[in-house]
Amino acid sequence: MREATLARPLRLVDPVPGVQVWRCDLRRDEADAGALAALLAPAEIARAERYGRADLRLRYVIGRATLRAILGGCLGIAPQEVTIVRGRRGRPELADHHPADLDFNVSHTRATALFAITHAKRIGVDIEHAGRTLNVAGIARKFMTPQEQATLHALDDDTRRRHLLLLWTCKEAMSKATGDALAAPFRDLDVRATEQRELVAGPPPYVPAHWRLHAVDVGERFLATVALWAPPPDEPLRPRAAQVTTGSTPVS
C-alpha cells in the first residue's frame, strides 16, 4: 500500500529484547501528509482539522499515520483496520478485538516522534531534546525527590540540566505506562540514572519490583527512556473504564 510505505519510520536498536522502537521525522510536505491522511479514522481526521496551525496539523497526521502503519505491520493487518481507543485518562490503546498482550506508546519532541511496542507488559516512552532549556531549580523542587535534588545539586550547570532531563524521561515514561500522565506522583518516584536507569522507590502502582527502565539510543541530540510495567495479576494489562474509539470499528 503506497500510503503505508510513505510513513517511513526508522527502526532503532531494540533497547531490550521484546521491545521494538521506531523513530519518525514529522517534517513532511503537504503531499505526503495528504496521502497519509487516508490511513486515519474519521475521528482522527476531525481532530487534525481542529489544530489551528498548519505545522501542528501536519505533524499530527504524519505521526498518527506512522503509528497505524507500525501497528498494522505488527498485527498483520492494514493500517486502516487498526482500532485505537482511549483507555485510562485518555491513554491510547488497542481495542479489545486486537491481541490482548500487545501494548504501545508514543512520545514526541519538536519534529521527532518515538514509537515503542512490546508484548505482555505495559509500556511507556518519553523523548526529550538534549538541548532543551528549562528552569532546572523550579522543576527539581516540584518534581524531584530529595535524593534526586541532592544528586543534581552536586553537578555543574549543564550536566545538571541534562541529568534533570534524563530523570524526567524516566518519570514521564512510567506515568505514560500507567496512564496517570502528569497526575502521577513525580515527587515520590525516586529514580537512579547513572550507569543504569532504575526506579528505587515509589508508591503503588510504582513499586520498583514491577518496573524496568531502559535507555533508547536515539542519537546525541536526544534523551529517551522506555518504561516497562509488569502489573500484578489482579491488575489487567488493559483496564477498561470508558473507551472512546479512534479507529475504524466502533467499540462499546
Side-chain angles (χ1 to χ4, degrees), residues 62-75:
I62 294 161
R64 199 67 169 196
T66 302
L67 172 62
R68 286 182 163 278
I70 292 170
L71 290 173
C74 292
L75 294 168

Side-chain angles (χ1 to χ4, degrees), residues 114-178:
L114 202 62
F115 308 87
I117 290 178
T118 194
H119 292 266
K121 292 181 176 64
R122 291 281 291 276
I123 193 168
V125 65
D126 187 53
I127 182 172
E128 300 289 342
H129 195 283
R132 180 180 174 182
T133 58
L134 64 164
N135 179 357
V136 174
I139 293 174
R141 282 194 303 270
K142 186 172 182 180
F143 295 104
M144 301 295 138
T145 67
Q147 293 84 355
E148 291 164 343
Q149 292 184 48
T151 299
L152 290 166
H153 183 72
L155 304 174
D156 64 70
D157 288 349
D158 191 58
T159 306
R160 183 183 303 122
R161 179 190 62 80
R162 285 183 62 92
H163 194 71
L164 179 67
L165 281 170
L166 177 54
L167 291 172
W168 181 268
T169 66
C170 295
K171 299 189 182 198
E172 178 81 355
M174 286 189 286
S175 75
K176 293 175 70 179
T178 61

Side-chain angles (χ1 to χ4, degrees), residues 3-250:
E3 293 86 356
T5 58
L6 274 175
R8 297 199 299 266
L10 174 65
R11 175 77 180 270
L12 302 179
V13 175
D14 296 352
V16 65
V19 174
Q20 300 174 2
V21 182
W22 289 261
R23 175 179 168 180
C24 173
D25 188 346
L26 301 177
R27 291 168 297 189
R28 305 285 286 277
D29 58 31
E30 291 273 2
D32 280 359
L36 287 168
L39 304 181
L40 303 189
E44 293 168 331
I45 293 173
R47 178 176 175 180
E49 291 173 348
R50 289 196 294 270
Y51 281 97
R53 286 170 43 187
D55 61 332
L56 296 179
R57 183 169 59 253
L58 289 178
R59 290 180 186 182
Y60 173 78
V61 169
I62 294 161
R64 199 67 169 196
T66 302
L67 172 62
R68 286 182 163 278
I70 292 170
L71 290 173
C74 292
L75 294 168
I77 60 177
Q80 297 95 321
E81 296 175 358
V82 176
T83 304
I84 301 171
V85 299
R86 295 180 185 177
R88 186 168 183 260
R89 296 182 186 244
R91 182 182 187 270
E93 298 171 358
L94 289 171
D96 285 337
H97 63 273
H98 293 308
D101 68 337
L102 183 66
D103 195 41
F104 70 92
N105 202 237
V106 181
S107 180
H108 62 84
T109 181
R110 301 187 183 181
T112 297
L114 202 62
F115 308 87
I117 290 178
T118 194
H119 292 266
K121 292 181 176 64
R122 291 281 291 276
I123 193 168
V125 65
D126 187 53
I127 182 172
E128 300 289 342
H129 195 283
R132 180 180 174 182
T133 58
L134 64 164
N135 179 357
V136 174
I139 293 174
R141 282 194 303 270
K142 186 172 182 180
F143 295 104
M144 301 295 138
T145 67
Q147 293 84 355
E148 291 164 343
Q149 292 184 48
T151 299
L152 290 166
H153 183 72
L155 304 174
D156 64 70
D157 288 349
D158 191 58
T159 306
R160 183 183 303 122
R161 179 190 62 80
R162 285 183 62 92
H163 194 71
L164 179 67
L165 281 170
L166 177 54
L167 291 172
W168 181 268
T169 66
C170 295
K171 299 189 182 198
E172 178 81 355
M174 286 189 286
S175 75
K176 293 175 70 179
T178 61
D180 286 339
L182 291 179
F186 276 50
R187 205 172 188 279
D188 297 321
L189 303 181
D190 195 26
V191 173
R192 184 179 299 140
T194 50
E195 293 182 2
Q196 294 183 334
R197 304 173 193 188
E198 61 178 323
L199 176 64
V200 178
Y206 301 95
V207 178
H210 298 157
W211 289 89
R212 293 294 181 269
L213 303 176
H214 301 280
V216 182
D217 185 1
V218 285
E220 295 182 357
R221 294 190 300 122
F222 299 97
L223 297 169
T225 298
V226 158
L228 293 175
W229 178 34
D234 59 345
E235 176 77 21
L237 191 62
R238 290 189 201 152
R240 296 306 192 199
Q243 291 191 351
V244 178
T245 182
T246 57
S248 57
T249 305

